[in-house]
Amino acid sequence: MKTFLLLCGILVLFGAVCWSEPLGPEEAKRKVSPAQEEESPSEATTSTENDRKSAEGLLEESVLGREEEARREASRTDFDVFSDELHFIGGSAIKIVKAPDLSQDKENRKMSEMLNEMLENHERMIQKIESEIDEINRLEPVEPEVVRPLTPEELEAQEAFDRAMAVMNRTKVDKLAGIKLMVEAAGKGHPLAKSHVAWAQLLGHPIHMDIEAAKKTFQELADEGLPDAQMGLGFMYAAGIGFNVSQAKALVYYTMAALGDNSWAQMALGYRYWAGVGVPNSCETALDFYRKVATKVANQVTFSGGAAIHRIRLLDEAENSGTSSGILDNDLIDYYQLLADKGDVQAQVGLGQLHYQGGRGIQLDHQKALQYFSQAANAGNAVAMAFLGKIYLEGSDNIKADNDTAFKYFKKAADLGNPVGQSGLGVMFLHGKGVPKDTVKALKYFTQAADQGWVDGQLQLGNMYFSGTGVKRDFKLANKYYNLASQSGHVLAFYHLGQMHAVGLGMMRSCPTAVELFKNVAERGKWTERLMSAYQDYRSYRFEEAFTQYALMSELGYEVAQSNAAFLLDRGEVNLFKNRDQELLRALQFWGRAAAQGYSAAQVKLGDYHYYGLGTLVDFETAASHYRMASEQQHNAQAMFNLGYMHEQGLGMKKDIHLAKRCYDLAAETSADAKVPVTLALMKLQLLFKLESLRESPFNVLLNLDENIASNWDLYLITVLTIVLGGALYFRRPPGPGQQPQPQQPQPPARNVPADEAPSLIVRHSGGGANDYDERRDSSTTEQQSGATGTARGYATVKKK
């Protein structure tokens, strides 16, 4: 019995083993238990899961190139849904984000919808992978393209262009020689030379203006994709010179030129996005454009700090004729040169600094600066020694850089306690120029110079604390020294402060502050020289040439150029437009841009234009609002006076004599020049106040005689006063030539006086205003009767003569 049971158990085990053999693919699909059916909704889902896993493996194998990882990923059984997005990390891995499990979706969607959605997800995923691969390939370094060799004609044109640029980039620029070489290169077909010549023709400097020729050249070069020519067309469309005004086309050309890295176009777009001119305000976009230009300008700043820029407002110069524009005339320069030749050390140092930094109508000339500084240094002047060190440290066109000579002069000046020399030694030790690099000594010398208020020492200390060179990095201290240097106007201090405000280093991030700082840096580029050339054209009565240059600089965001362009149009001195209305309309636009940048006189001009209806309709309320802004925000005396007049007359606001008097008083307190007109206005206001009081008295019947007389009483009063004055002059006129005056009868004396004590009496007679004579007589009683006869005889004697 036991044997039988043992055999049965063996047979059962044998059968179980036979039935548990692996099934084929088709049998496996049919052989699914009910429990498995509950776990898997359908056969299509299982098939989709297998397809998805194989697709995942293929994609990872193609992207990663790792067969082992592909097999491991394909064998995962707990993976639910393939990721919708694959992200490359470091260009060598894929980040997989799981999507929601479709099998757990509460809504029972149809199988076709699920399959379509999955296919669409896979398609999007593959497209995204391909786009990311393309992006990675673009970021990879590309082999440089083979440059086509230049033809002999192109090579000759390039050489001519290089010669022209070498002349125009000198410290002492010879513009006529440079433009002559540029015309030669343009004639040989060089595109950049053509563009330079076209700009000279458009601006009329330094050659004659030819707008049509410039327009034609710009159009040809812009079609070839030259950014400089695209900038030229953008300016012409924006200013309405050569074309009808089209701000949309100007924006398009500015954008294309800015993408081509044109600095002028980048400044123009930065200003437009900052001020909202033709585009919505966007501080971040303006910051991006201005930062690019500011970085270029900062990289070109030399140790000397660059040329000084003198900005002259024509309106201020016209209204304040007694004040100097700051331009040195030839007579004054000759006087200083005479003093310098006679050994005046201060005159030598002043002329040396003037020629070293330029400005005030004087061009840079380091050779002359070297001459004057050498004379003063030989006399023992520490400032001249320090500036000689700066000249030799950096070098120039005709002066070779010499670290040893620079160190010698810096050391002499520093030993005498001069901060310029101390700062120069610090620079040499910081960068290891001619001496071993020593940040400790550099920090010591910079600190000594900064303690004396020297701007270079403050800037270099800020740099050291900003970068952590030789000291512990401290952004707050860097900000402190940059602010001190910026108060002296150093361009690099503005640039570094802009970088800190743009990122938020050591302070709260401020996009508007960063934009203003970068704008300040960008406006100190080499192209700022056009402000002075425009002023020189204005002084030479070349008003069209001056206007085009001011209009160009106004497009770049220069406030002084905007106000000067508006001034020229306001005076009617520009003959580039069709009629006076177009000139006034453009002037109104320029005044508005200048006023938005804080120029109070431009704000007053805006009020005047709306008050008188120049370039716009008469609008007293708008005029009053502009006057109020200039008065309250910028304390402009003219605006206060105008507000007082509008309060007095009730124009654009309620009539109020008390507010008018207050505005007049504020104007007199603000400016001494306003005291005389304010006094007259207050006298008139007092008379008005008395008249108002008279209306409330019983004598008001005198004011109601006639409405016309009452409304124009001041005109009638002036007429009456004129008649009275004329009558007085008429009756007091001297007698004519044919009239004889009546002889004066002498008056008897009050008492008898001895003859020897009688005073001498001088009697004057006028014979038609021709002759006078004196008759002396005694006042005794014995001669009283002959007085009249003597007087008549004397007059007859004069007539005989």
Side-chain angles (χ1 to χ4, degrees), residues 286-566:
L287 176 63
D288 184 46
F289 284 117
Y290 271 125
R291 179 186 289 174
K292 293 178 181 178
V293 184
T295 302
K296 298 176 188 176
V297 174
N299 291 334
Q300 296 173 358
V301 173
T302 61
F303 187 59
S304 64
I309 304 300
H310 199 69
R311 307 186 183 194
I312 304 171
R313 292 184 175 88
L314 301 181
L315 179 60
D316 293 345
E317 187 181 54
E319 292 184 349
N320 305 312
S321 57
T323 60
S324 173
S325 63
I327 303 300
L328 298 177
D329 56 14
N330 295 330
D331 295 337
L332 188 59
I333 295 295
D334 293 339
Y335 173 71
Y336 281 121
Q337 288 177 348
L338 179 62
L339 292 178
D341 294 339
K342 289 184 177 181
D344 191 311
V345 177
Q346 295 300 325
Q348 293 168 350
V349 174
L351 286 175
Q353 291 179 329
L354 191 62
H355 288 290
Y356 180 66
Q357 295 178 333
R360 305 190 70 178
I362 305 300
Q363 288 188 351
L364 290 176
D365 192 339
H366 286 178
Q367 192 66 39
K368 285 188 177 181
L370 179 65
Q371 174 187 348
Y372 288 117
F373 283 141
S374 299
Q375 294 174 0
N378 293 332
N381 187 274
V383 176
M385 297 176 186
F387 275 94
L388 279 176
K390 296 180 74 171
I391 290 177
Y392 280 109
L393 179 64
E394 189 174 29
S396 183
D397 295 335
N398 302 321
I399 303 172
K400 184 179 179 181
D402 189 341
N403 291 331
D404 295 336
T405 306
F407 182 82
K408 179 184 71 174
Y409 282 114
F410 280 145
K411 188 70 170 61
K412 289 182 178 180
D415 292 341
L416 295 174
N418 183 266
V420 183
Q422 294 167 349
S423 177
L425 284 180
V427 170
M428 297 192 75
F429 280 110
L430 179 64
H431 299 286
K433 292 186 175 183
V435 292
K437 189 174 182 180
D438 192 337
T439 57
V440 176
K441 289 185 178 179
L443 180 64
K444 182 187 75 171
Y445 285 118
F446 288 147
T447 304
Q448 292 175 354
D451 291 341
Q452 298 188 58
W454 180 239
V455 59
D456 284 340
Q458 296 165 346
L459 175 71
Q460 296 297 340
L461 275 182
N463 290 338
M464 294 186 73
Y465 282 107
F466 181 84
S467 60
T469 303
V471 293
K472 183 180 179 181
R473 177 173 290 179
D474 192 333
F475 291 129
K476 290 186 178 179
L477 281 177
N479 181 37
K480 169 190 171 182
Y481 286 112
Y482 284 148
N483 275 314
L484 290 174
S486 67
Q487 293 175 9
S488 300
H490 203 293
V491 61
L492 292 181
F494 289 121
Y495 176 73
H496 291 301
L497 281 176
Q499 294 283 23
M500 297 181 73
H501 280 283
V503 181
L505 293 176
M507 64 193 72
M508 293 292 294
R509 184 180 186 272
S510 176
C511 178
T513 305
V515 169
E516 291 181 3
L517 290 168
F518 283 138
K519 182 176 183 291
N520 196 330
V521 177
E523 291 182 355
R524 293 169 183 254
K526 190 176 181 180
W527 45 83
T528 314
E529 298 173 354
R530 293 197 175 272
L531 291 175
M532 186 55 64
S533 63
Y535 178 76
Q536 292 172 352
D537 286 337
Y538 170 75
R539 300 298 296 178
S540 302
Y541 301 99
R542 303 174 70 229
F543 299 123
E544 286 79 12
E545 291 81 356
F547 170 76
T548 53
Q549 294 181 80
Y550 280 135
L552 171 63
M553 304 307 286
S554 69
E555 282 294 307
L556 305 188
Y558 288 82
E559 175 270 315
V560 63
Q562 293 167 350
S563 61
N564 288 350

Side-chain angles (χ1 to χ4, degrees), residues 232-253:
L233 286 180
F235 164 65
M236 295 181 75
Y237 275 112
I241 299 176
F243 297 97
N244 292 328
V245 175
S246 177
Q247 298 299 334
K249 290 184 179 180
L251 183 63
V252 171
Y253 281 113

Side-chain angles (χ1 to χ4, degrees), residues 36 61 218 283:
Q36 292 174 342
E61 183 177 1
F218 281 147
C283 182

